[in-house]
Amino acid sequence: MRPLRAFLLLLALVIGHVVAGPMVPQAEAQQQQAEQIDYEAWDRTALRAEEAVETERASTPALESLRSELVTWRQRFQNEEDANANTIATVQRQLNALGSAPEDGNESVEIAREREQLNARLAELQAPGKRAELAYSRADGLIRVIDQIIRDRQAEELLEFGPSPGNPSYWADAAKALFDSGTLVVEEFRSGLRNPVQRQETTRRLPVLVTLGLVGVLLLVRGRSWSRRLSRRILRDGQTAGRWISAFIVSLGSFVVPFIGFFLLMIMIQTSGLAGTHISQLLDELVRAALIFLAARWLATRVFPPDEMRGLPLNLGPEGRRAGRWYGASLGLATAVLHLLDRMMDVFGWSTSTANVIVFPILVTVAFLMWRLARLLKAHADAVKDDSGDETYRIKSTRILIRLVVVLAVVAPVLALVGYFALAKFLLYPSVLTMMLLAALLILQRVVVELYALITGNLEGAAESLIPVLVGAVLVLMSLPLFALIWGARMTDLTELWTQFVDGVYIGGTRISPVIFLTLATVFAAGFVATRLLQAALKNTVLPKTRIDMGGRNAIVSGVGYVGIFLAALIAITSAGIDLSSLAIVAGALSVGIGFGLQNIVSNFVAGIILLIERPISEGDWIEVGGQHGYVRHISVRSTRIETFDRTDVIVPNADFVSGTVTNYTRGNTVGRVIVPVGVAYGTDTRKVERILQDIAEAHPMVLANPSPAVVFQGFGESSMDFEIRAILRDVNWVLDVKSDMNHEIAKRFAEEGIEIPYAQRDIWLRNPETLTGRRTGSDPAPEPVSKSSHEARREHDLSDESGDADGNGGGDGDGDGGPT
């Protein structure tokens, strides 16, 4: 099973990298650079590779070995390309200092000789790099051709049409081969027992063998129950985040402890010396098969837990979870048997037809169990809805997975029955490993959520927090190489992709690689943090000790922020070694389109800079813009936030402040004027009113004595004589409170002095006053105008409406025809 071997190989490489660290590759690179490249040996290797590629007679393992040699040569050539880089840069700067040679040839002999020597020196220094570059291209091309040949061979193997397991003529041979294999294993064991020397050695090791066997059987049989019992005891007193993590760590024992017991049993058999060649090979495969089964059983227990737990992975009831555990463990067992039978084909030399007949029932069993698990996943998807009743992206992804599993569970046995057995195994076996890896990711994401809840104490909202979601996304990205290995990708393919990723890509002649990106991000982050620290120091320590007003301080702090971020970006780009000149044409073309699309944003940005420099408004000012009154709360790059007197926020683009009219009531200072209008009845002593209003204005504590307040007799209104108090306040922000206080004081003083504040006066003419008395005479004189206050007129009108309603004539026509007779 190539995917499993590749998967285990990747794990070994990762563990080796963690243990050994990055010092080994670095030491190898230094050793390679110290050695001179033997181009004659390289030519022999390249010719041998080209011959193998042309004839295509070499086996796949031979091509893999040859490819490994080519990769080593390519790495050496890549290192050699940067040889003498510092010296070349120095010579190039010297040539640049000399400048271009004169077109007319009038140049001094010394300078011409120096230029010639520098050019010769530059060519000599560049020669090794150019030769290495050519060799690198040759090696890289050969590697690509070998990869293509190997991929073509893999595709041919998958699509190879073989014997069908449904042919009855193969069944007897398959049964005989299986019986002969069992007989061979028994005979190997008996031959070991019949050997006196071997029997004596086994007897001598008997205490050790018995101990290993007893411990192995005990751990294999009781290890899972011990782990489950301890986990339940931990969760019995509560399912907090800490207890959940502890129970999870203990639950690993249900996988690790039985595997240790099984491994001890395998060691016991190997140590006994009774195992022959075939038995030893089977023992190695049995260890891998046991690993598959125990891992699948543990994953099924975690995904379908037997007990009711907080935050179940799947929305299933007790019966569904019990079925899921049984199907998951059975699927792991069937997959382990499938792997073991597939390896027994090589160990015992079964023919293709025999192997197909023996493996086919297990393959059908695996497909059936996958289909049953897909049914459980469908039940989970049908039971999960979000608050709006719609399906989440996880449920949609689950439904896609369900359809794929069902299709594979149906198609794989059919393909195997027809004769495409290799393709059926390729589709089915990686599918099982993919489901196991997805289950492991689901469990790891839950572990991340519980760790976050343990750290933050947010048990309820931990699953929806940003950090666990980001960590989960990183886990998914890190698992992509494992998925690729499971589905047949070679380790060399992944290393090739990693090499290309590390080398980066070229955009406009500029190389962008992860190292450059990390350098750029690190330097920019450091500059950004330094800018924020400088802003905090200016705002809290330096500027408060100056005489600059608050608006000026905010402008300085904001300006320092903009300049600091710009410098941080510039320094980061320079430190990363990105040459912006090569991107000038691309940037110029993009700037035209961006200019048209973002002209409003750019306009607001420039306006924001103007506001910070000219400071027509500052934070805390009371302004009026676009009919909106309020206080300036924050001036950003694009817009300004104004808090109105209704405590609502109004976001105004900065361009409106530059191109429009803005009234700033508190620009420079808070002194402002208040005007309080007052009306008195006709006949009132105006000088007396003036003195009272003057006293009220001068008595208010918010009114400035210089300039003194003034009382203005504005004129004669329709119903009153109009006065105004005009006073200058020390803080105009209190204008409404001052106006309210003065009005209260005016009402009080006018009541004490007997001064009347009149109602509005109106003259009302009645065209038929006789309707008010209920009679009409032709000799009645014309009615005289009656002057009434609006209050009295409104009262009489209401009374007349009530009288009309009582008589059943609610609306007269103005001539008295509708009134009472």
Side-chain angles (χ1 to χ4, degrees):
M1 291 295 179
R2 187 181 295 109
L4 179 62
R5 292 197 297 271
F7 176 76
L8 295 176
L9 178 60
L10 179 63
L11 291 179
L13 288 177
V14 172
I15 295 173
H17 179 75
V18 172
V19 174
M23 296 180 62
V24 175
Q26 184 177 2
E28 292 179 356
Q30 291 176 354
Q31 182 179 0
Q32 290 175 359
Q33 291 179 359
E35 298 176 356
Q36 290 292 335
I37 296 179
D38 187 358
Y39 283 96
E40 294 182 359
W42 156 244
D43 289 334
R44 291 192 297 269
T45 303
L47 290 174
R48 182 161 51 91
E50 289 171 350
E51 182 180 358
V53 167
E54 291 294 333
T55 59
E56 295 188 9
R57 295 178 181 177
S59 63
T60 300
L63 288 178
E64 292 281 5
S65 177
L66 184 58
R67 186 191 185 281
S68 178
E69 294 183 31
L70 293 175
V71 169
T72 303
W73 281 106
R74 185 180 63 176
Q75 184 63 40
R76 295 181 64 183
F77 296 145
Q78 186 177 12
N79 296 333
E80 187 67 18
E81 287 181 6
D82 297 331
N84 305 324
N86 296 328
T87 308
I88 290 174
T90 302
V91 175
Q92 189 65 54
R93 284 195 295 269
Q94 292 176 327
L95 287 173
N96 293 335
L98 291 178
S100 302
E103 297 181 358
D104 55 3
N106 294 328
E107 188 176 26
S108 63
V109 178
E110 292 80 4
I111 296 178
R113 185 185 302 110
E114 184 69 23
R115 187 189 306 278
E116 182 179 357
Q117 292 176 355
L118 289 175
N119 286 325
R121 175 63 173 163
L122 182 62
E124 180 183 357
L125 292 172
Q126 290 177 342
K130 291 182 178 180
R131 187 176 184 183
E133 185 177 356
L134 292 175
Y136 176 89
S137 301
R138 186 181 183 185
D140 187 68
L142 290 172
I143 290 173
R144 294 178 185 275
V145 173
I146 291 176
D147 288 338
Q148 186 61 43
I149 293 174
I150 294 176
R151 282 193 290 266
D152 293 341
R153 289 182 178 180
Q154 290 178 343
E156 291 175 358
E157 291 176 1
L158 290 177
L159 298 177
E160 182 180 0
F161 184 80
S164 171
N167 190 344
S169 61
Y170 300 136
W171 295 355
D173 294 337
K176 183 177 182 303
L178 192 60
F179 178 78
D180 292 342
S181 299
T183 303
L184 180 61
V185 171
V186 174
E187 287 299 326
E188 281 189 358
F189 188 76
R190 287 180 178 178
S191 63
L193 289 177
R194 287 193 295 266
N195 188 342
V197 178
Q198 186 61 52
R199 188 168 58 250
Q200 182 180 1
E201 184 68 19
T202 303
T203 304
R204 187 179 63 84
R205 299 175 182 173
L206 189 60
V208 177
L209 298 177
V210 172
T211 303
L212 289 175
L214 291 177
V215 174
V217 170
L218 181 65
L219 295 180
L220 182 62
V221 175
R222 302 295 299 170
R224 186 187 182 202
S225 61
W226 292 342
S227 175
R228 294 179 62 180
R229 190 179 306 167
L230 183 57
S231 298
R232 289 176 177 175
R233 183 175 300 177
I234 293 174
L235 296 175
R236 183 175 55 191
D237 298 332
Q239 294 187 11
T240 61
R243 289 182 176 273
W244 191 95
I245 294 173
S246 301
F248 172 78
I249 295 175
V250 172
S251 71
L252 291 173
S254 62
F255 161 66
V256 176
V257 175
F259 181 75
I260 293 175
F262 187 84
F263 191 73
L264 291 177
L265 292 177
M266 298 300 102
I267 292 177
M268 180 197 70
I269 297 175
Q270 288 280 15
T271 307
S272 67
L274 301 177
T277 304
H278 295 85
I279 295 178
S280 298
Q281 294 178 1
L282 285 180
L283 291 179
D284 295 338
E285 300 304 326
L286 277 173
V287 172
R288 296 187 178 93
L291 180 65
I292 295 173
F293 166 67
L294 294 175
R297 188 178 66 174
W298 178 79
L299 290 173
T301 305
R302 297 304 307 180
V303 176
F304 307 98
D307 302 322
E308 294 291 338
M309 300 176 61
R310 174 178 52 83
L312 292 172
L314 300 179
N315 192 5
L316 296 173
E319 293 296 330
R321 297 200 302 272
R322 181 163 52 251
R325 291 193 299 275
W326 192 88
Y327 292 143
S330 300
L331 181 62
L333 179 60
T335 306
V337 174
L338 181 65
H339 168 76
L340 183 61
L341 292 177
D342 190 65
R343 295 302 301 154
M344 288 175 65
M345 174 182 175
D346 299 331
V347 173
F348 296 105
W350 292 344
S351 64
T352 304
S353 59
T354 299
N356 291 353
V357 172
I358 295 174
V359 173
F360 183 71
I362 307 301
L363 189 144
V364 174
T365 304
V366 171
F368 172 75
L369 293 172
M370 288 178 58
W371 176 72
R372 295 300 301 175
L373 283 175
R375 293 290 300 272
L376 289 177
L377 290 177
K378 184 178 184 301
H380 158 72
D382 294 338
V384 176
K385 298 285 185 180
D386 62 4
D387 296 337
S388 61
D390 298 329
E391 292 184 345
T392 62
Y393 78 96
R394 289 186 178 182
I395 298 302
K396 293 179 180 179
S397 303
T398 303
R399 291 194 182 278
I400 295 174
L401 177 63
I402 292 170
R403 295 188 184 97
L404 292 176
V405 171
V406 171
V407 170
L408 290 174
V410 174
V411 171
V414 174
L415 289 174
L417 189 61
V418 170
Y420 292 99
F421 212 89
L423 181 59
K425 289 193 295 184
F426 173 77
L427 293 176
L428 204 59
Y429 191 74
S431 299
V432 176
L433 295 181
T434 299
M435 295 179 67
M436 293 176 62
L437 185 54
L438 289 175
L441 288 175
L442 182 64
I443 296 170
L444 286 177
Q445 288 181 346
R446 177 64 187 278
V447 172
V448 171
V449 170
E450 296 297 335
L451 286 174
Y452 182 79
L454 179 64
I455 295 173
T456 62
N458 184 13
L459 190 61
E460 299 297 331
E464 303 299 329
S465 299
L466 178 61
I467 293 179
V469 173
L470 293 179
V471 174
V474 172
L475 289 176
V476 172
L477 291 177
M478 293 176 62
S479 66
L480 292 180
L482 299 179
F483 283 110
L485 289 175
I486 287 173
W487 284 97
R490 297 178 299 129
M491 181 63 66
T492 53
D493 294 334
L494 297 182
T495 55
E496 188 69 18
L497 288 176
W498 177 255
T499 301
Q500 295 178 2
F501 176 72
V502 171
D503 291 341
V505 296
Y506 285 88
I507 301 177
T510 300
R511 187 170 70 95
I512 305 297
S513 66
V515 176
I516 293 177
F517 178 77
L518 290 176
T519 303
L520 180 68
T522 302
V523 175
F524 180 76
F528 183 81
V529 172
T531 300
R532 292 307 186 198
L533 293 176
L534 179 59
Q535 285 182 292
L538 290 174
K539 184 176 182 180
N540 301 322
T541 305
V542 179
L543 294 179
K545 298 180 180 180
T546 63
R547 297 182 180 180
I548 304 175
D549 59 280
M550 182 59 68
R553 299 177 194 172
N554 293 331
I556 292 174
V557 171
S558 300
V560 169
Y562 297 149
V563 174
I565 293 176
F566 174 76
L567 292 178
L570 188 62
I571 295 173
I573 293 173
T574 305
S575 301
I578 299 177
D579 186 9
L580 297 180
S581 60
S582 59
L583 300 177
I585 299 177
V586 178
L590 291 176
S591 62
V592 176
I594 294 175
F596 283 108
L598 304 178
Q599 56 182 346
N600 291 332
I601 296 177
V602 174
S603 175
N604 290 323
F605 175 78
V606 174
I609 302 298
I610 294 174
L611 290 179
L612 291 177
I613 296 175
E614 294 186 355
R615 292 169 51 207
I617 60 173
S618 301
E619 292 184 10
D621 286 354
W622 172 16
I623 66 172
E624 177 186 2
V625 57
Q628 295 285 346
H629 283 263
Y631 293 101
V632 178
R633 293 307 183 195
H634 181 66
I635 303 175
S636 63
V637 177
R638 190 193 67 84
S639 61
T640 298
R641 181 169 63 89
I642 299 175
E643 181 183 349
T644 65
F645 299 132
D646 297 331
R647 294 297 186 267
T648 58
D649 287 343
V650 178
I651 309 300
V652 182
N654 289 332
D656 292 353
F657 292 96
V658 177
S659 60
T661 301
V662 182
T663 302
N664 193 333
Y665 293 98
T666 57
R667 171 65 177 159
N669 56 67
T670 60
V671 175
R673 187 174 69 171
V674 62
I675 297 177
V676 183
V678 182
V680 298
Y682 281 95
T684 307
D685 186 355
T686 59
R687 292 297 180 182
K688 180 179 180 181
V689 173
E690 183 180 13
R691 288 194 301 272
I692 294 174
L693 296 179
Q694 186 74 27
D695 293 340
I696 292 173
E698 293 177 350
H700 199 282
M702 289 297 296
V703 176
L704 294 177
N706 187 18
S708 61
V711 177
V712 179
F713 186 8
Q714 283 287 85
F716 301 95
E718 294 181 358
S719 303
S720 63
M721 295 184 291
D722 299 330
F723 291 80
E724 282 185 356
I725 298 177
R726 298 189 176 187
I728 303 299
L729 305 181
R730 63 181 76 254
D731 191 348
V732 74
N733 293 299
W734 297 88
V735 61
L736 293 179
D737 293 330
V738 172
K739 184 179 289 188
S740 177
D741 293 342
M742 288 186 177
N743 284 330
H744 283 297
E745 189 65 22
I746 288 170
K748 177 183 177 183
R749 291 289 301 275
F750 279 10
E752 294 175 353
E753 299 293 339
I755 299 175
E756 180 185 359
I757 299 177
Y759 294 101
Q761 300 291 324
R762 296 290 185 271
D763 290 339
I764 301 176
W765 291 82
L766 299 178
R767 299 178 60 183
N768 48 355
E770 65 276 5
T771 59
L772 298 178
T773 59
R775 65 180 182 276
R776 179 187 301 175
T777 60
S779 60
D780 290 340
E784 295 291 335
V786 181
S787 177
K788 300 179 181 294
S789 67
S790 61
H791 177 71
E792 294 172 346
R794 188 162 54 249
R795 178 177 175 80
E796 291 181 0
H797 178 70
D798 293 342
L799 291 175
S800 65
D801 287 343
E802 292 174 3
S803 175
D805 292 340
D807 292 339
N809 301 311
D813 60 357
D815 292 333
D817 296 339
T821 57

